[in-house]
Amino acid sequence: MNYQVVSNNHTITVLEDDAFPLYTLSKETVQEIADIEGTACAECILNLSDHSQLPTNVLYEIAFYIQRDYPYLCIDWFTTFYYVEKESYLRTAFVMKELLEEGVDNADDEQRKKRFEKFESYELVYDTDTVILKIVMMNIINFNVIIK
């Protein structure tokens, strides 16, 4: 699916295939702050991460608009996206684990080897926090979200 994020003075909208409004976030919604361990995080980003099928790159685009339009919120984007990326990472890890375990009796050794190589390629078997921190830093830079 193709997603496009557009913003006006009152809303941020995620369009599906350049036309259909999939999510519309009101001015009030985007200004809601979640306090996580004493840190101000964007509640709408965390909610979309938990309750939507949007890829994380779309969430970074939404963050760009929130930061641009509401800089006074002083959201800690690094912490916000740490939780987003960690959830995404763990979901992927569990899917990969299920793929590796599924049909063990029916899968030949070559299939299991390919699945395990894919599992390793996501670095899911290494230090989770270090990998997530790298992902967050790269995406924050790529999507022009400024860390304060």
Side-chain angles (χ1 to χ4, degrees):
M1 285 189 203
N2 293 322
Y3 299 102
Q4 180 182 4
V5 179
V6 294
S7 173
N8 63 30
N9 291 338
H10 304 290
T11 62
I12 296 174
T13 303
V14 178
L15 302 174
E16 181 180 23
D17 296 323
D18 299 331
F20 182 74
L22 196 56
Y23 295 98
T24 300
L25 304 170
S26 69
K27 184 178 182 178
E28 293 77 25
T29 301
V30 298
Q31 294 185 71
E32 292 177 4
I33 303 295
D35 185 304
I36 298 178
E37 298 177 16
T39 304
C41 296
E43 189 165 324
C44 66
I45 298 292
L46 297 171
N47 285 334
L48 284 171
S49 175
D50 287 343
H51 304 294
S52 78
Q53 297 297 318
L54 292 174
T56 56
N57 66 304
V58 174
L59 300 178
Y60 282 98
E61 289 182 51
I62 293 169
F64 171 80
Y65 287 110
I66 294 171
Q67 179 179 288
R68 183 193 72 184
D69 297 341
Y70 309 99
Y72 55 85
L73 294 176
C74 298
I75 294 171
D76 183 331
W77 291 110
F78 190 85
T79 302
T80 299
F81 280 102
Y82 174 81
Y83 286 99
V84 168
E85 292 289 359
K86 185 172 184 177
E87 182 65 30
S88 173
Y89 186 89
L90 292 175
R91 261 194 310 259
T92 302
F94 284 114
V95 167
M96 294 303 296
K97 181 180 182 298
E98 288 174 5
L99 284 174
L100 288 169
E101 292 176 348
E102 186 178 287
V104 172
D105 295 334
N106 299 331
D108 63 12
D109 287 336
E110 191 61 34
Q111 279 183 314
R112 271 185 284 199
K113 184 178 177 183
K114 285 180 183 177
R115 287 178 182 159
F116 190 73
E117 285 172 3
K118 187 173 183 182
F119 186 74
E120 281 187 319
S121 73
Y122 283 109
E123 297 182 358
L124 296 171
V125 294
Y126 302 112
D127 179 16
T128 304
D129 281 336
T130 301
V131 174
I132 293 169
L133 294 173
K134 284 186 214 174
I135 292 168
V136 172
M137 285 305 294
M138 287 181 353
N139 284 328
I140 282 177
I141 291 166
N142 288 338
F143 288 96
N144 246 352
V145 177
I146 299 168
I147 301 173
K148 293 184 179 189

